Amino acid sequence: MDDVLFTGRPTDVCFRLPEPIDRATLRRLVTAAQDRLTAAGLRPGGAAALRLPPSLAYVVNLLATWRAGAQAILLDHRLTDHEVDLALLRLTPQVVVAPLRTGGGPLKVFVDVTEGVTRYADRPAVSGHAVIQLSSGSTGPSKVIGRTAADLVAEVHRYTRIDGVALPGERIILLPSMVHVLGLVGGLLYGLHAGVELVPPERLSGDAVLAAISAGSTPATVLGVPFHIGLLASTRPTGPLPQLRRMTTGGELVPAAVARAFTDRYGVPLGNMYGMTEVGVIGTDLHGSHRPSIAPAPGIEVRESGGELWVSCPASPYVGLSDPTRWSDGWLHTRDAGTVDGDTGLVTVRGRLDSQVSVGGMKVDLTEVEATVAELTGVAAAVVVWDDGITAYVQPDGPLSEETLDKLLAERLAGYKRPRVLHLLDQLPRTTTGKLVRSTDALRSAAIS
């Protein structure tokens, strides 16, 4: 903690919420939280479950848990009580930290939280990992993923070697949740280590993000997911933004039309980052020069096996899961389809491996079909799945009928590639990280409701 995250001058600003929080203040808050956790029963080798929304309270209790020599179990605050209860029964933390009072509206990025600490179990942590996370579950049930302190430190140092990340003295406009890997390591941990000021906007809106950029004079990198790109691409700035250096996005693939809309509007690079909860950042293209390909991050090896991308991973990241189809012999099987260029080493992610289907003996890549649907005028977002045939779930952006959509697709896709069923939904379901949900059961339910 002290050597990696608490270096720097006491007066250096870590957060702007919008009031500045310097390192000395953060250290005092962490020490006080550590005392509360210890008094409630947290011990070295134990675990604390954090069920907190993005907030200073979340940051402070996370760092305090680690300073106490305990494991942090990160539970997204949007999980239901049932989901949380199942996780707690499986992971048996010594204490649970949850809000007693929360202030701020639903679009608040960082909220004001008064937290409470309750004793849960008197057992050691279920594993020796420093952090436990639940996968976002975009294609099925969540997996329990553990990462060691050494693994997290290695990833923080990896970020310092990536060309295009925010540099010491600059700012990160922080949009993704710090419960998940992009916001946790790429935002919080890297920012604290490198001396980069973390600035959550006042609200989750395009205008508020632009206001956060223009509020300071130092260079700013916007960190987010594809949903946030669309938010900014549809927001017209009221004046020049010389502070805006670039936007970096992680998560799912960014449709080409969305990327063009962003770069045309702001004239700065749209950087791409590919990673997984299991290993963190895998590859990047922060200058937007290789789109859609990425270069492996320093210290990460990527290879292609049978059309699937494998990533170097010394030990299994899964807690209580022994599945050789997910990890074996030092390699994580990503279940993403992709290629690795033998000459340049560049990696191209093609989408989920299970997106390849056969229609009348013809191979169809559902990722291609989905990209075609998503780029149509009048479509805000789309998910294409196999459900006894190619089925498209579409969120319109304005007036759009199934007949019009089918006609547009007939002009762009061969007959065997076209969706047999079209569903228009006011809002497509998304995971807690903002990814589109691809579970056929969840999509069917959304279409019915």
Side-chain angles (χ1 to χ4, degrees), residues 1-204:
M1 282 287 300
D2 290 350
D3 294 339
V4 177
L5 301 182
F6 278 152
T7 57
R9 297 171 299 184
T11 55
D12 289 344
V13 173
C14 306
F15 291 94
R16 203 165 287 277
L17 304 174
E19 299 79 12
I21 305 293
D22 61 27
R23 289 183 180 272
T25 301
L26 183 61
R27 182 185 287 270
R28 286 195 300 271
L29 293 172
V30 168
T31 300
Q34 185 178 343
D35 291 341
R36 290 193 297 272
L37 293 171
T38 300
L42 183 64
R43 298 289 180 264
L50 308 183
R51 190 189 183 185
L52 294 167
S55 57
L56 184 59
Y58 168 81
V59 173
V60 165
N61 281 278
L62 172 63
L63 300 181
T65 297
W66 285 338
R67 273 197 121 205
Q71 178 186 86
I73 300 169
L74 307 185
L75 302 175
D76 194 289
H77 71 288
R78 292 163 289 195
L79 296 176
T80 65
D81 290 342
H82 176 69
E83 291 171 309
V84 169
D85 288 342
L86 290 176
L88 295 180
L89 284 171
R90 178 174 183 180
L91 299 171
T92 60
Q94 291 176 335
V95 300
V96 177
V97 186
L100 297 176
R101 183 191 61 80
T102 301
L107 293 181
K108 194 85 169 172
V109 175
F110 250 49
V111 299
D112 299 323
V113 171
T114 300
E115 74 274 28
V117 184
T118 56
R119 187 187 297 266
Y120 185 84
D122 188 18
R123 300 180 187 176
V126 297
S127 70
H129 297 101
V131 66
I132 295 288
Q133 295 169 274
L134 303 181
S135 68
S136 58
S138 61
T139 57
S142 297
K143 299 179 292 293
V144 179
I145 297 167
R147 299 187 69 186
T148 65
D151 187 30
L152 292 173
V153 170
E155 188 184 0
V156 169
H157 287 151
R158 187 173 299 128
Y159 268 96
T160 66
R161 298 162 58 196
I162 294 174
D163 182 24
V165 297
L167 299 175
E170 298 183 351
R171 294 174 295 151
I172 292 176
I173 310 302
L174 188 64
L175 302 180
S177 170
M178 293 180 296
V179 170
H180 303 286
V181 65
L182 179 62
L184 174 66
V185 185
L188 175 62
L189 302 188
Y190 170 71
L192 290 176
H193 172 74
V196 175
E197 190 175 300
L198 299 170
V199 185
E202 283 284 315
R203 300 178 312 284
L204 187 56

